[in-house]
Amino acid sequence: MAKIIAGVGTSHTPAIGAAIDLGKMEEPYWMPLFKGYEPAKKWIADTKPDVVIMVYNDHVNAFDFKIIPTFGLGCAEEFPIADEGWGARPVPVVKGYPELAAHLVQSLVLDEFDITIVNEMQVDHGLTTPMSLMFGQPKAWPCRVIPLAVNVIQYPAPTGHRCFMLGKAIRKAVESWDEDLKVVIFGTGGMSHQIQGPRAGLVNQKFDKEFLDGLSSDPVRLSKIPPLEYLRDAGAEAIELVMWLIMRGALGDTVKELYRFYHVPASSTAVGSIILESRS
Ligand code: DHB
Ligand code: FE
């Protein structure tokens, strides 16, 4: 049986990917951030997942405003790296798992989640920054990746509660796949940040800390945060945090927090990272 053994929450700030690609990891500005990720990198290197389910959002790279799926599951054999305006990042192509992805779609749709099947898709910093942060700079990524692209760009984004329930359905879908696989699910984006307008640069450390605490101890409370509260209290782009609730929902009721890291700033964002082991 395939099993989701753990979840990773992490920001996906594009400047972090650029710092890695440009060899700036040792610079004073970036060093504390990359030091903070070292235990997380070690954990995933030791854990060796077979498959990562990467819950992330596209930033108008794979999808333009013609078609915006709320939940798009990547079913392709591979996912090329998007050119976001300065050339594609020099990272390996992302290899998918079409058979398992098709199974997830089937299970989720039969469970009444309206998943969009995505058979061709480029992936942007929302996916590649977390891959680089956790797996470093290998020649090929060490596991297969199933991308789940969530719309948090164009109003209305799905609610935290909907995301939490989708996570639970993903757990069930994975467990009905008859192959021994270690699956780790990522929730990416956040934490508090606003990248445009008069409030650009907004960071709310109290909100972020409470969110990290809630992921460990009371995700049901987090799942009730209304969308506008993310925007008002933690910046417009903090709505990305609903994706962490998909990750948390997929871990079952009981988790053990293995690692946490929080750092301000990276570019204009608060960066958070958490690893939760499923104990259900
Ligand atoms: C930025 C973009 C993002 O998608 C994000 O999650 C954080 C920061 C940026 O452009 O700085
Ligand atoms: Fe983003």
Side-chain angles (χ1 to χ4, degrees), residues 12-14 59 125 189-190 193 195 240 267-269:
H12 62 217
T13 316
H59 303 74
H125 70 267
H193 65 301
I195 57 178
E240 291 180 341
S267 181
S268 57
T269 69

PDB file of all heavy atoms in Angstrom, residues 12-14 59 125 189-190 193 195 240 267-269, ligand 1:
ATOM      1  N   HIS A  12       7.787  29.422  -1.044  1.00  0.00           N
ATOM      2  CA  HIS A  12       8.361  29.137  -2.371  1.00  0.00           C
ATOM      3  C   HIS A  12       8.888  30.411  -3.056  1.00  0.00           C
ATOM      4  O   HIS A  12       9.014  30.455  -4.278  1.00  0.00           O
ATOM      5  CB  HIS A  12       7.338  28.405  -3.252  1.00  0.00           C
ATOM      6  CG  HIS A  12       6.089  29.177  -3.549  1.00  0.00           C
ATOM      7  ND1 HIS A  12       4.840  28.568  -3.632  1.00  0.00           N
ATOM      8  CD2 HIS A  12       5.864  30.489  -3.812  1.00  0.00           C
ATOM      9  CE1 HIS A  12       3.936  29.486  -3.928  1.00  0.00           C
ATOM     10  NE2 HIS A  12       4.529  30.650  -4.038  1.00  0.00           N
ATOM     11  N   THR A  13       9.197  31.400  -2.239  1.00  0.00           N
ATOM     12  CA  THR A  13       9.689  32.700  -2.723  1.00  0.00           C
ATOM     13  C   THR A  13      10.705  32.563  -3.867  1.00  0.00           C
ATOM     14  O   THR A  13      11.756  31.928  -3.692  1.00  0.00           O
ATOM     15  CB  THR A  13      10.373  33.432  -1.545  1.00  0.00           C
ATOM     16  OG1 THR A  13       9.538  33.290  -0.391  1.00  0.00           O
ATOM     17  CG2 THR A  13      10.593  34.893  -1.846  1.00  0.00           C
ATOM     18  N   PRO A  14      10.425  33.178  -5.033  1.00  0.00           N
ATOM     19  CA  PRO A  14      11.300  32.953  -6.192  1.00  0.00           C
ATOM     20  C   PRO A  14      12.731  33.451  -5.983  1.00  0.00           C
ATOM     21  O   PRO A  14      13.667  32.890  -6.555  1.00  0.00           O
ATOM     22  CB  PRO A  14      10.608  33.727  -7.323  1.00  0.00           C
ATOM     23  CG  PRO A  14       9.647  34.665  -6.656  1.00  0.00           C
ATOM     24  CD  PRO A  14       9.262  34.014  -5.368  1.00  0.00           C
ATOM     25  N   HIS A  59       1.923  30.767 -11.105  1.00  0.00           N
ATOM     26  CA  HIS A  59       1.826  32.228 -11.043  1.00  0.00           C
ATOM     27  C   HIS A  59       1.695  32.785 -12.456  1.00  0.00           C
ATOM     28  O   HIS A  59       2.549  33.523 -12.928  1.00  0.00           O
ATOM     29  CB  HIS A  59       3.046  32.811 -10.340  1.00  0.00           C
ATOM     30  CG  HIS A  59       3.270  32.293  -8.946  1.00  0.00           C
ATOM     31  ND1 HIS A  59       3.754  31.032  -8.679  1.00  0.00           N
ATOM     32  CD2 HIS A  59       3.083  32.876  -7.733  1.00  0.00           C
ATOM     33  CE1 HIS A  59       3.857  30.861  -7.364  1.00  0.00           C
ATOM     34  NE2 HIS A  59       3.452  31.966  -6.766  1.00  0.00           N
ATOM     35  N   HIS A 125       8.231  28.715 -10.199  1.00  0.00           N
ATOM     36  CA  HIS A 125       8.937  28.753  -8.909  1.00  0.00           C
ATOM     37  C   HIS A 125       8.111  28.186  -7.757  1.00  0.00           C
ATOM     38  O   HIS A 125       8.668  27.777  -6.747  1.00  0.00           O
ATOM     39  CB  HIS A 125       9.380  30.191  -8.584  1.00  0.00           C
ATOM     40  CG  HIS A 125       8.254  31.131  -8.259  1.00  0.00           C
ATOM     41  ND1 HIS A 125       7.636  31.930  -9.198  1.00  0.00           N
ATOM     42  CD2 HIS A 125       7.605  31.389  -7.086  1.00  0.00           C
ATOM     43  CE1 HIS A 125       6.689  32.654  -8.621  1.00  0.00           C
ATOM     44  NE2 HIS A 125       6.636  32.343  -7.340  1.00  0.00           N
ATOM     45  N   GLY A 189       4.133  27.893  -0.397  1.00  0.00           N
ATOM     46  CA  GLY A 189       3.662  29.282  -0.478  1.00  0.00           C
ATOM     47  C   GLY A 189       3.744  29.959   0.873  1.00  0.00           C
ATOM     48  O   GLY A 189       4.257  29.397   1.839  1.00  0.00           O
ATOM     49  N   GLY A 190       3.253  31.189   0.948  1.00  0.00           N
ATOM     50  CA  GLY A 190       3.323  31.917   2.208  1.00  0.00           C
ATOM     51  C   GLY A 190       4.774  32.221   2.591  1.00  0.00           C
ATOM     52  O   GLY A 190       5.657  32.130   1.760  1.00  0.00           O
ATOM     53  N   HIS A 193       2.894  37.572   3.419  1.00  0.00           N
ATOM     54  CA  HIS A 193       3.545  38.469   2.470  1.00  0.00           C
ATOM     55  C   HIS A 193       2.538  39.172   1.583  1.00  0.00           C
ATOM     56  O   HIS A 193       1.457  38.670   1.318  1.00  0.00           O
ATOM     57  CB  HIS A 193       4.615  37.778   1.618  1.00  0.00           C
ATOM     58  CG  HIS A 193       4.184  36.702   0.656  1.00  0.00           C
ATOM     59  ND1 HIS A 193       3.536  35.557   1.023  1.00  0.00           N
ATOM     60  CD2 HIS A 193       4.356  36.589  -0.694  1.00  0.00           C
ATOM     61  CE1 HIS A 193       3.342  34.775  -0.038  1.00  0.00           C
ATOM     62  NE2 HIS A 193       3.816  35.384  -1.100  1.00  0.00           N
ATOM     63  N   ILE A 195       3.061  41.453  -2.052  1.00  0.00           N
ATOM     64  CA  ILE A 195       4.133  41.867  -2.967  1.00  0.00           C
ATOM     65  C   ILE A 195       3.791  43.091  -3.811  1.00  0.00           C
ATOM     66  O   ILE A 195       4.591  43.513  -4.626  1.00  0.00           O
ATOM     67  CB  ILE A 195       4.637  40.690  -3.845  1.00  0.00           C
ATOM     68  CG1 ILE A 195       3.508  40.068  -4.643  1.00  0.00           C
ATOM     69  CG2 ILE A 195       5.338  39.660  -3.010  1.00  0.00           C
ATOM     70  CD1 ILE A 195       3.976  38.930  -5.549  1.00  0.00           C
ATOM     71  N   GLU A 240      -1.888  31.981  -0.039  1.00  0.00           N
ATOM     72  CA  GLU A 240      -1.198  30.747  -0.449  1.00  0.00           C
ATOM     73  C   GLU A 240      -1.174  29.710   0.677  1.00  0.00           C
ATOM     74  O   GLU A 240      -1.051  28.513   0.422  1.00  0.00           O
ATOM     75  CB  GLU A 240       0.245  31.059  -0.889  1.00  0.00           C
ATOM     76  CG  GLU A 240       0.319  31.839  -2.197  1.00  0.00           C
ATOM     77  CD  GLU A 240       1.748  32.159  -2.639  1.00  0.00           C
ATOM     78  OE1 GLU A 240       2.685  32.121  -1.806  1.00  0.00           O
ATOM     79  OE2 GLU A 240       1.927  32.462  -3.822  1.00  0.00           O
ATOM     80  N   SER A 267      13.537  38.308   0.252  1.00  0.00           N
ATOM     81  CA  SER A 267      12.850  39.253  -0.624  1.00  0.00           C
ATOM     82  C   SER A 267      11.872  40.019   0.270  1.00  0.00           C
ATOM     83  O   SER A 267      12.289  40.548   1.297  1.00  0.00           O
ATOM     84  CB  SER A 267      12.189  38.480  -1.763  1.00  0.00           C
ATOM     85  OG  SER A 267      11.538  39.329  -2.647  1.00  0.00           O
ATOM     86  N   SER A 268      10.614  40.015  -0.018  1.00  0.00           N
ATOM     87  CA  SER A 268       9.690  40.749   0.864  1.00  0.00           C
ATOM     88  C   SER A 268       8.800  39.801   1.661  1.00  0.00           C
ATOM     89  O   SER A 268       7.739  40.196   2.132  1.00  0.00           O
ATOM     90  CB  SER A 268       8.829  41.698   0.032  1.00  0.00           C
ATOM     91  OG  SER A 268       8.151  40.953  -0.950  1.00  0.00           O
ATOM     92  N   THR A 269       9.221  38.558   1.829  1.00  0.00           N
ATOM     93  CA  THR A 269       8.322  37.591   2.469  1.00  0.00           C
ATOM     94  C   THR A 269       8.882  37.053   3.783  1.00  0.00           C
ATOM     95  O   THR A 269      10.086  37.064   4.023  1.00  0.00           O
ATOM     96  CB  THR A 269       8.077  36.373   1.544  1.00  0.00           C
ATOM     97  OG1 THR A 269       9.295  35.626   1.436  1.00  0.00           O
ATOM     98  CG2 THR A 269       7.657  36.795   0.153  1.00  0.00           C
TER      99      THR A 269
HETATM  100  C1  DHB B   1       7.175  36.549  -4.560  1.00  0.00           C
HETATM  101  C2  DHB B   1       6.414  35.750  -5.375  1.00  0.00           C
HETATM  102  C3  DHB B   1       5.735  34.663  -4.847  1.00  0.00           C
HETATM  103  O1  DHB B   1       5.031  33.816  -5.624  1.00  0.00           O
HETATM  104  C4  DHB B   1       5.772  34.403  -3.519  1.00  0.00           C
HETATM  105  O2  DHB B   1       5.052  33.367  -3.054  1.00  0.00           O
HETATM  106  C5  DHB B   1       6.531  35.198  -2.704  1.00  0.00           C
HETATM  107  C6  DHB B   1       7.238  36.276  -3.224  1.00  0.00           C
HETATM  108  C7  DHB B   1       7.940  37.689  -5.121  1.00  0.00           C
HETATM  109  O3  DHB B   1       7.792  38.002  -6.310  1.00  0.00           O
HETATM  110  O4  DHB B   1       8.736  38.269  -4.380  1.00  0.00           O
END
